[in-house]
Amino acid sequence: MWFFLTLGLAFTTAGVQDFLAGHREHSDPLWWAAWLAEPMLAGILIMLLMFEAEILSRGLTITDVWVGRLKKVLLSSTLVMNVWPAVAPWLTGNEPFDGGNLAIHIIVPVVVFGVAEVMPVIQHKFNEAITRAYRDAARDTRPAPTAQPATPAVEPPAPRPAALATASRVKLPPQILDQVKAKAAELANEGRALTADDVRQVVRVAPEMAAQIAVEVQQRNGHAFT
């Protein structure tokens, strides 16, 4: 879009130069200075369009009426200065009417005007689509929340009263308690809870005692044995 807009403005530059220079000779400085008028107007217009595109890409709205007015003044000046050299010879009777020459001098400035109006909107929509695509991609690659595995309740075999009383009076040494806790943490990382068999792999105790230790470690983190 920028490339074709530049081509259109390059075409209108010749028309504006013809309008300003008129029948001046090449030796006249104004003939050469006339080539600078349209690039100056086009440069302001391009900077204005870039400003509009950047503001719209940020999700903001331009509410100042002078932004639109300046753009219309620039494009209207280009249109008038391009059309007049094609119409003046016919109006003065110096040359016959040339519809093709008039049409091209009208169509190109009008197309440039339309491109200038549409291009900021196109850039805004492109940026919005790209931002939405990145947001959707980030949402799709985000790991889905996984349900925490339910900790199976360890129900030790119902001990005899004497065995339960013995278990409650047991005091585990700190070294053995640390080993049991480490085993429990390792199994927790694997997604399962400490069982009596796991306790017996660390401490050589009776099955009833191992079950009691497993329950206490799960419920109280072993504080009952310290």
Side-chain angles (χ1 to χ4, degrees):
M1 296 291 287
W2 284 108
F3 174 73
F4 290 111
L5 177 64
T6 304
L7 289 182
L9 292 173
F11 176 85
T12 58
T13 298
V16 172
Q17 194 275 343
D18 188 21
F19 173 81
L20 296 177
H23 298 288
R24 290 179 173 83
E25 300 294 334
H26 291 184
S27 59
D28 191 336
L30 184 59
W31 189 93
W32 295 98
W35 286 103
L36 303 177
E38 179 65 1
M40 180 269 294
L41 298 176
I44 297 175
L45 176 63
I46 290 175
M47 291 300 299
L48 183 60
L49 295 177
M50 293 176 64
F51 163 75
E52 282 188 309
E54 184 67 20
I55 292 299
L56 290 175
S57 67
R58 306 289 181 179
L60 303 177
T61 303
I62 301 175
T63 57
D64 195 334
V65 295
W66 280 104
V67 175
R69 289 176 181 175
L70 177 58
K71 186 166 58 176
K72 291 177 181 178
V73 167
L74 293 172
L75 293 170
S76 299
S77 301
T78 297
L79 177 62
V80 171
M81 289 188 288
N82 271 271
V83 171
W84 180 252
V87 176
W90 172 64
L91 293 178
T92 57
N94 296 330
E95 295 181 7
F97 176 74
D98 188 349
N101 187 38
L102 177 62
I104 195 65
H105 281 84
I106 294 176
I107 292 173
V108 172
V110 170
V111 170
V112 169
F113 182 87
V115 171
E117 288 290 341
V118 172
M119 190 163 55
V121 179
I122 293 176
Q123 287 193 292
H124 170 56
K125 292 302 181 181
F126 264 123
N127 290 331
E128 183 180 345
I130 293 172
T131 302
R132 184 179 303 172
Y134 275 115
R135 185 170 58 248
D136 294 342
R139 186 184 301 116
D140 293 340
T141 57
R142 189 179 305 163
T146 57
Q148 295 295 332
T151 302
V154 177
E155 297 181 1
R160 297 186 301 274
L164 182 59
T166 303
S168 62
R169 291 194 301 267
V170 171
K171 300 294 183 180
L172 294 179
Q175 297 84 354
I176 297 178
L177 179 60
D178 291 339
Q179 295 178 8
V180 174
K181 289 182 179 180
K183 185 65 174 180
E186 178 184 349
L187 296 174
N189 292 332
E190 297 177 0
R192 66 184 187 89
L194 184 71
T195 64
D197 292 336
D198 297 323
V199 174
R200 297 190 66 190
Q201 293 179 7
V202 179
V203 185
R204 294 182 179 276
V205 294
E208 295 84 355
M209 185 64 62
Q212 181 67 19
I213 293 174
V215 173
E216 291 293 339
V217 169
Q218 290 180 32
Q219 296 179 351
R220 303 183 178 86
N221 201 20
H223 294 302
F225 300 100
T226 59

